[in-house]
Amino acid sequence: MIMKRFFIIAAAVLLLCGCTKNEEQPSETTEVTTESVTVTFAETEPSETTAPVAEQTEITTVLKDNQLEFKGKKINVLMEFTGAEPLHYYPNAINQQYYSSTDYILHGRFTVTNTYRQSFDFIPQKILIRGSRYNSRWDMKPITESGTGLVASDKYYSLEPEESVTFDIDFIGPKDCIEYANEIVYAYEVIFTYNNVNYEELNNVDIAKGFHMTNRTAIKKAVSSALDISNDVPLPFKLTPEEGEYLVNTDKNSYCFSVEKAGNYIKVHLRLACLTGEPEIFKPNEFVLVQMENGLECGREHPLYFAFDPALCESTPTLYYKSGENGFTEDIYGYPFELYIRPDGTAEYSFYYSVSEGEEFGKFVYAGTNDSFEKEIELFRG
């Protein structure tokens, strides 16, 4: 009897355990299913504000030939070199005592990101580009002078954690350094500072986190690509004369000019386009009007005054009349020793010739060392 009761109790206990398991299983199954549905829903219906991982990877890893990227624990630097050309395209910079007329300008755009947990100051003047070939070594440093027509690196940027700044920067140095660049370094101190840069102040700001790149192959490829970019710019086309203009084309340049009376002067307004891609330099005193008498040349008149963009000469000569004074419609300057062209290969100059009443002129001539032409004009009387 006792044994029979034991078996009955044991069976009841087993039955109760079985019921408990059967009741809990649906709950676990439902929870897993719910989680599975939730995960599946998140994968198939991403939030609109969440950027796809693939796009982020592409943006940060795909670089153009003219780009470099430094990634460090404290700083990231994206460098892009956007062009390079001779310093002759920037004559206001040629007269700086620290530069050479044979130097080249390298244009760049840098994006600096603070990946450090503390803020710091970044100083563009500390960026140096170095190059070498065999036993020769060269440096390119940032332009720091203002008023040269180039970007002056004359300030610093304060960056908070995760903050970025993008700035343009123009380097100056030998062309060889662009062709054979092999190192980019953020110097410990500001060492190349002239004119308007306070190096004592810059060397006492919060120390910026530095970077140093030495991958010769990658650096040479990116920096020298700037030369290719500039060489790919289309050369100027031959000019088309406007109403009242004369046209002259040589192997090197295309010229359009007009001749008119301006008070007591004859004004020749000249437009030109260089067809070779080289930075031409013109001596303004070599543009002359030829005086004629009975169809024969009897004298030559050199310009007395000039009008031009001051950016097209090394130093601005004496300003004799401002626009609106003495009947002039443009600023009138004294003799500039040389006139240059813009980076796009074009330029415009005005020449004013002092002539006597009754004098007749029948030719306009340029007798320069870089180019020359003679163009007959309708007889013009002073």
Side-chain angles (χ1 to χ4, degrees), residues 79-150:
M79 294 158 268
E80 182 175 8
F81 302 98
T82 56
E85 65 245 338
L87 183 61
H88 276 110
Y89 284 121
Y90 303 93
N92 288 173
I94 293 177
N95 63 359
Q96 301 291 331
Q97 61 177 318
Y98 304 100
Y99 303 157
S100 167
S101 61
T102 60
D103 280 339
Y104 261 62
I105 297 298
L106 173 66
H107 305 289
R109 171 162 289 187
F110 281 51
T111 298
V112 178
T113 302
N114 179 1
T115 58
Y116 194 43
R117 64 179 180 272
Q118 297 177 358
S119 62
F120 58 71
D121 296 321
F122 188 87
I123 308 170
Q125 297 95 318
K126 289 188 176 185
I127 303 174
L128 304 178
I129 297 176
R130 292 171 176 159
S132 68
R133 189 183 186 211
Y134 302 126
N135 294 324
S136 299
R137 302 288 184 271
W138 310 279
D139 285 330
M140 297 198 82
K141 55 187 179 292
I143 290 277
T144 58
E145 291 78 11
S146 58
T148 62
L150 295 160

Side-chain angles (χ1 to χ4, degrees), residues 95-223:
N95 63 359
Q96 301 291 331
Q97 61 177 318
Y98 304 100
Y99 303 157
S100 167
S101 61
T102 60
D103 280 339
Y104 261 62
I105 297 298
L106 173 66
H107 305 289
R109 171 162 289 187
F110 281 51
T111 298
V112 178
T113 302
N114 179 1
T115 58
Y116 194 43
R117 64 179 180 272
Q118 297 177 358
S119 62
F120 58 71
D121 296 321
F122 188 87
I123 308 170
Q125 297 95 318
K126 289 188 176 185
I127 303 174
L128 304 178
I129 297 176
R130 292 171 176 159
S132 68
R133 189 183 186 211
Y134 302 126
N135 294 324
S136 299
R137 302 288 184 271
W138 310 279
D139 285 330
M140 297 198 82
K141 55 187 179 292
I143 290 277
T144 58
E145 291 78 11
S146 58
T148 62
L150 295 160
V151 177
S153 296
D154 54 2
K155 59 183 177 181
Y156 60 91
Y157 301 92
S158 297
L159 296 176
E160 298 297 326
E162 304 304 321
E163 186 179 2
S164 296
V165 63
T166 298
F167 54 87
D168 292 327
I169 185 169
D170 284 335
F171 297 90
I172 185 168
K175 182 181 180 182
D176 289 331
C177 192
I178 301 176
E179 295 176 320
Y180 302 103
N182 66 352
E183 184 180 11
I184 301 177
V185 61
Y186 187 81
Y188 178 72
E189 289 184 318
V190 177
I191 54 177
F192 296 112
T193 56
Y194 311 121
N195 292 348
N196 54 312
V197 174
N198 187 336
Y199 75 94
E200 292 183 353
E201 175 189 352
L202 294 181
N203 282 326
N204 282 285
V205 300
D206 293 338
I207 297 176
K209 308 309 168 186
F211 67 96
H212 190 184
M213 298 191 72
T214 57
N215 186 331
R216 173 185 285 266
T217 302
I219 294 172
K220 179 181 178 181
K221 176 183 176 182
V223 175

